[in-house]
């Protein structure tokens, strides 16, 4: 068996243990398999398809908050917490601190590619426009140095992507646009506080930012994802990622 076949067999065995059949979204497997080919579908064996809470995932509260998503759906948030702490220590505004706290939530719990755009859209209905703007443009700005604030091209990117990596034209355009925008420095400060090297000895808790979040993130009373905002469906997908429809 190939690695992929073994993974699919293991997955098949796993889905057999579930009461419901799970069919993965194409985006989870595209690349490992050709998205043009019909996806192999686990036999239902008389079972129903997954439509709600996946029992393999921790159950979220009835009215989830941003903090609940951090607790139940996002991977270790050290990078976000340390970046927010750094911004706070440097005396940055609460907008910058909040932007730092959530700037990579797409990587932590949703979709990696174009993560700055996804994160901006996720939070857009609930934060000041300047905050989501800063998050959106950190996607582009982090590739371009700004000597005036001591920001250099991250050495980590050379290591990760190689010395010849060049951002796509849409990233260059976004950088040009952001450079001349009145909120440029808000997004730039996000990249300045964006930690590329994590200090394992520094422990920051989510609770340190309860007040900043409380003042700057408009938590919907119905629960994040259960409201009717333009990005509610994205939060629901994070909460229930394996629903058939
Ligand atoms: Fe990022
Ligand atoms: Fe980051």
């Amino acid at each position: 068996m190939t690695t992929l076949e073994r993974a699919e067999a293991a997955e098949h065995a796993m889905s057999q243990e579930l009461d419901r059949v799970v069919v993965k979204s194409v985006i989870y497997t595209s690349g490992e398999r050709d998205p043009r080919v019909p996806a192999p579908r686990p036999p239902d064996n008389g079972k129903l398809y997954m439509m709600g809470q996946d029992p393999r995932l921790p159950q979220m509260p009835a009215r989830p908050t941003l903090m609940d998503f951090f607790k139940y759906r996002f991977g270790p948030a050290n990078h976000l917490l340390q970046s927010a702490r750094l911004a706070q220590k440097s005396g940055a505004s609460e907008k910058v601190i909040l932007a730092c706290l959530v700037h990579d939530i797409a990587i932590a719990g949703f979709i990696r590619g174009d993560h700055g755009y996804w994160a901006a859209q996720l939070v857009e209905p609930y934060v000041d426009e300047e905050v989501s703007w800063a998050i959106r443009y950190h996607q582009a700005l982090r590739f371009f140095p700004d000597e005036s604030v001591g920001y250099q091209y991250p050495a980590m990117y050379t290591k990760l992507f190689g010395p010849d990596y060049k951002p796509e034209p849409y990233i260059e355009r976004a950088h040009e646009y952001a450079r001349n925008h009145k909120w440029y420095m808000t997004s730039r400060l996000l990249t300045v506080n964006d930690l590329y090297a994590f200090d394992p000895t520094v422990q920051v808790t989510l609770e340190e930012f309860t007040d900043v979040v409380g003042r700057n993130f408009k938590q919907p009373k119905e629960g994040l994802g259960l409201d009717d905002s333009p990005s509610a469906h994205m939060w629901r997908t994070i909460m229930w990622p394996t629903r058939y429809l």
Side-chain angles (χ1 to χ4, degrees), residues 79-80 103-105 107 115-116 119 135 138-139 142 157 190-191 194 196:
H79 168 60
L80 294 172
H103 74 281
D104 284 342
I105 55 173
I107 291 177
H115 75 288
I135 296 167
H138 100 275
Q139 173 87 36
R142 70 219 163 104
Y157 285 179
L190 197 174
T191 67
D194 197 346
Y196 293 95

Side-chain angles (χ1 to χ4, degrees), residues 57-133:
L57 292 169
Q59 176 99 41
M60 296 203 55
R63 291 186 180 80
T65 63
L66 176 65
M67 297 309 217
D68 290 325
F69 276 90
F70 267 91
K71 284 182 210 149
Y72 299 110
R73 289 295 182 272
F74 297 163
N78 283 340
H79 168 60
L80 294 172
L81 295 170
Q82 287 189 13
S83 297
R85 158 82 74 83
L86 194 62
Q88 198 163 41
K89 270 172 57 183
S90 74
S93 69
E94 290 204 344
K95 284 179 188 171
V96 171
I97 298 168
L98 180 67
C100 284
L101 185 66
V102 298
H103 74 281
D104 284 342
I105 55 173
I107 291 177
F110 193 44
I111 297 171
R112 292 192 77 89
D114 275 318
H115 75 288
Y117 296 92
W118 288 116
Q121 252 183 310
L122 276 162
V123 302
E124 206 146 40
Y126 313 105
V127 299
D128 188 283
E129 208 185 334
E130 189 174 346
V131 174
S132 53
W133 192 95

Side-chain angles (χ1 to χ4, degrees), residues 1 31 55 68 78 116 185 206 213 239 245:
M1 272 204 266
D68 290 325
N78 283 340
M185 206 34 84
L206 192 54
V213 169
M239 181 155 51
L245 290 179

Side-chain angles (χ1 to χ4, degrees), residues 153 157-166:
Y153 183 81
Y157 285 179
T158 310
K159 219 170 125 191
L160 289 174
F161 313 130
D164 299 330
Y165 173 74
K166 203 173 167 301

